Amino acid sequence: EIVLTQSPGTLSLSPGERATLSCRASQSVSRSYLAWYQQKPGQAPRLLIYGASSRATGIPDRFSGSGSGTDFTLTISRLEPEDFAVYYCQQYDSSPYTFGQGTKLEIK
Amino acid sequence: EVQLVESGGGLVKPGGSLRLSCVASGFTFSNAWMSWVRQAPGKGLEWVGRIRSKTDGGTADYAAPVEGRFTISRDDSKNTLYLQINSLKTEDTAVFYCTTFSFTSGWSWGQGTLVTVSS
C-alpha cells in the first residue's frame, strides 16, 4: 500500500500570500497518478488537480500541481479568502487508492 | 456533465446491514471503473474500494479495513453502483461518496450519503 504523508499539518497564511503544500509517497507513484482536492466543511471534496499537474475544469490558474515519483506539491500562488480549507492528495496508481491525512490551510 | 447521486444512508443499529446506491449519468457507465470513498465525522478521506467495468472483468478490490464486510456491485442496465455493508460497527459512521475517473476530466464525486451507526 502506498502511504501518502502531507505536510505541514496546518499552514497559517494571510490572503495574498503564496501557499506550498507537500505530499510525499512511501513508494513511487508511477504515471503521476496523483490528485489534489479542496474540502470545506459540509461539502464534498472538490477536485483541483489530477495527473499531478492537470488543472480540473473551472479551477483558477492560481492553483498548480507539480512533482513526480514520490514528491508532489500543490502551490496556490496568491491566496484568496475562499482558499482557506482542508487539502488532500490522493494516489490512484495502485490499489488501494490512498489519501494523505490532509493539510488545513487557515487564515493567519 | 458527470452526475453521481448517492442514496440509501440512514440510522442503523450496530450489527445491521445497509445498501447504498449511486445513480450515474453524463457518461458511459458500463465502461467506467467506479469507487466508493468514506469520511468519518471530523476525519480524513478513506478509500473503500472499486469495481472494474464488465469488459475489464467486473471484479472489485477493497481496502483492508472493510474487506469481508463490504461488497461493491453494479447494474449497468440501471447505471447504478451499489455498496452493501454488513455487520455495521459504530466506526462505520461516515459520509459515503461514489467517485469515477476520466482521463479527460479527472475524478468526479457525488454529494455523499450519511450512514450513522448507533444503538
Side-chain angles (χ1 to χ4, degrees), chain A residues 2 4 23 25 27-37 47 49-54 66-72 88-100, chain B residues 33 50 101-104 106-107:
Chain A
I2 297 178
L4 299 180
C23 177
Q27 54 190 280
S28 182
V29 178
S30 59
R31 303 172 291 179
S32 293
Y33 281 0
L34 187 111
W36 288 95
Y37 298 91
L47 177 69
I49 301 289
Y50 64 99
S53 60
S54 296
S66 63
S68 63
T70 60
D71 288 298
F72 298 88
Y88 296 96
C89 58
Q90 178 201 15
Q91 68 81 21
Y92 50 100
D93 178 49
S94 65
S95 179
Y97 295 165
T98 46
F99 291 89
Chain B
W33 292 31
R50 69 175 180 189
F101 179 78
S102 158
F103 284 101
T104 57
W107 288 94

Side-chain angles (χ1 to χ4, degrees), chain B residues 44-102:
Chain B
L45 300 167
E46 180 185 20
W47 184 79
V48 169
R50 69 175 180 189
I51 187 166
R52 298 170 179 77
S53 63
K54 291 273 194 312
T55 55
D56 289 322
T59 54
D61 302 321
Y62 301 93
V66 307
E67 183 104 49
R69 289 194 305 122
F70 288 25
T71 301
I72 300 174
S73 61
R74 63 192 300 156
D75 185 338
D76 291 346
S77 69
K78 296 181 179 178
N79 282 3
T80 301
L81 175 72
Y82 301 102
L83 179 65
Q84 177 72 38
I85 311 174
N86 297 329
S87 304
L88 276 156
K89 308 175 183 181
T90 55
E91 52 263 40
D92 292 321
T93 294
V95 175
F96 284 77
Y97 299 98
C98 74
T99 73
T100 191
F101 179 78
S102 158

Side-chain angles (χ1 to χ4, degrees), chain A residues 37-40 83-88 101-105:
Chain A
Y37 298 91
Q38 176 193 72
Q39 190 178 34
K40 297 179 180 178
D83 297 338
F84 293 91
V86 178
Y87 292 81
Y88 296 96
Q101 82 280 15
T103 289
K104 182 178 181 181
L105 179 55

